[in-house]
Every structure is written in structure tokens, then in C-alpha cells.
Amino acid sequence: MKNIIIFGAPGSGKGTHAAVLKENFNLKHVSTGDLLRAEIKHGTELGLKAKDIISQGKLVSDSIVIGMITNFVKENKDCNGFIFDGFPRTIAQAEELDKIMATINSKIHGVIFLDVEKAELIKRILFRGKESGRADDQDESIIENRVSVYNKDTSPVKEYYSKKNIVKSVHAQGSSIEEIYKRVEVVYKSI
Ligand code: AMP
């Protein structure tokens, strides 16, 4: 089993590349953002709680996303490998993920960091907002807030894994999606 985190700021391309890695290497891909949007769509109690927070560009509580990931890992414990996308986003989530993986006698083997500059992130998210209709992708001040939350709360997670020597960076702008994916795949294979 080889487990990776696809890591980067909002708009860095995590979901795009995770979807291709999943297909090519028969992995289980879990995006906490996608799971939360599904809860909102189905109008669940959890979805109602999450909706306001997401629309402000803030993070939902650690306990909510940790619960979702715990269930997903338990349900797929015999798979080839996991790709975590949009999780962990705080140090508390990262520490909890180590514990969750230990319960299935495994661990995180590598972190693929998609390196993209802020101006490019904002451009991509606004473009995605037009295509997808995602409310949190359409308002520039909410997007700015998401990038600040990333810088403040989420970028320390990269340091957490750097200390374990398992972070690999990919230059993830200025080329086609296909070209960038090729770099991601080379890095994935090296983990
Ligand atoms: P994403 O699709 O990954 O950009 O996530 C969309 C939104 O869902 C984020 O801006 C957060 O409000 C929320 N979210 C997703 N994943 C997490 C997480 N791991 N921790 C806290 N909030 C999250």
C-alpha cells in the first residue's frame, strides 16, 4: 500500500491531478471538499453546518473532516493506496491522520506539493467558478480569504511533513495540465 497526500493552495490543481493518478494507479481518492459539497447538496445536518463556513472561505472544524476521513480509510483499508486531497489542512488533522493510518498498520509515504504563485491561483479559481458555479470560487474577497487561511493554517502542514523528509515539490504552472501531470506522475513513482 502506498499512500500520498496531494498538497497545495486552493486552485493549485490537486483535484485534477489526483483524479488521473487514481485512474492510472488504481487508488482510492478522497477529497474532503467534495465530501462536504455532497453533504450540502443532500441537505444533511452536517451540510447545513458546513455551508456557511465554506461560503466564507473558512475551514470547517477538524472533528468533522477527521470523522469523514476515518470512515473512508476504514471502508477502504485493503486498497492499493490512498490519495488524500484537501486533507490535512491543519497540524491537528495531520497528527490525526498519522493515527488513523496506524490503525490499519500503514502510514503516509509521500506528499506531492503543487507549487503555484498566488496571482495564478486567483486567476484559476475565478475561471473554475465561472465553469462550475461554485459560490466560494466566484467572489474575489472570499478567494483571498481562502489563500490567507492556506498560508496561515495549512502551509505549516507542509513543514510537518518536511521534517519527516517526505515532501516532493512539483512546479505546477506555466505548462499544460498534461505536462504538469507528467511531472506529478514521475514524482508519484519515486515515492
Ligand atoms: P476544497 O474543495 O478542497 O477547496 O474545499 C472547499 C472548502 O471546504 C474549503 O474552503 C473549506 O471551507 C472546506 N474544507 C475542505 N477540506 C477541509 C479540511 N480538510 N479542513 C477544513 N475545511 C475543509
Side-chain angles (χ1 to χ4, degrees):
M1 181 184 260
K2 181 160 93 178
N3 306 309
I4 63 150
I5 295 167
I6 191 128
F7 191 84
S12 57
K14 299 185 294 294
T16 302
H17 297 302
V20 190
L21 280 176
K22 170 197 157 154
E23 286 305 317
N24 290 354
F25 296 94
N26 187 25
L27 305 172
K28 290 288 173 187
H29 168 212
V30 59
S31 152
T32 39
D34 286 349
L35 292 179
L36 290 164
R37 282 185 287 278
E39 296 283 339
I40 293 172
K41 194 171 157 206
H42 293 116
T44 64
E45 199 179 320
L46 196 158
L48 288 175
K49 264 196 222 163
K51 192 174 177 184
D52 257 11
I53 302 169
I54 293 177
S55 68
Q56 294 171 55
K58 295 181 183 163
L59 294 182
V60 305
S61 72
D62 287 337
S63 61
I64 289 182
V65 287
I66 287 166
M68 290 176 150
I69 292 290
T70 304
N71 291 339
F72 189 87
V73 169
K74 269 193 197 150
E75 282 161 15
N76 296 287
K77 62 181 185 333
D78 298 320
C79 72
N80 245 351
F82 290 95
I83 311 183
F84 297 97
D85 163 5
F87 181 95
R89 262 176 156 98
T90 62
I91 295 284
Q93 291 177 22
E95 288 170 348
E96 207 55 44
L97 182 58
D98 284 341
K99 290 185 195 154
I100 297 168
M101 298 317 286
T103 66
I104 61 160
N105 297 317
S106 195
K107 64 176 185 173
I108 297 298
H109 298 88
V111 176
I112 302 178
F113 170 57
L114 301 175
D115 196 2
V116 178
E117 285 166 11
K118 183 176 168 187
E120 172 72 12
L121 296 171
I122 299 207
K123 202 173 91 188
R124 285 187 193 175
I125 297 175
L126 284 169
F127 180 76
R128 184 172 70 187
K130 280 196 196 127
E131 304 267 294
S132 71
R134 254 177 77 171
D136 61 337
D137 280 352
Q138 294 185 33
D139 178 316
E140 203 156 339
S141 70
I142 293 170
I143 298 170
E144 285 275 351
N145 196 31
R146 287 164 65 199
V147 175
S148 325
V149 168
Y150 170 81
N151 288 331
K152 182 171 154 282
D153 297 321
T154 306
S155 65
V157 173
K158 185 166 158 248
E159 300 314 310
Y160 177 86
Y161 292 110
S162 291
K163 285 188 193 137
K164 299 177 192 271
N165 274 320
I166 59 167
V167 178
K168 307 222 170 182
S169 289
V170 170
H171 180 60
Q173 68 181 84
S175 308
S176 66
I177 293 176
E178 292 74 18
E179 279 303 316
I180 296 168
Y181 174 75
K182 279 186 202 159
R183 293 175 205 153
V184 170
E185 188 170 297
V186 167
V187 165
Y188 174 77
K189 285 181 177 164
S190 76
I191 291 170

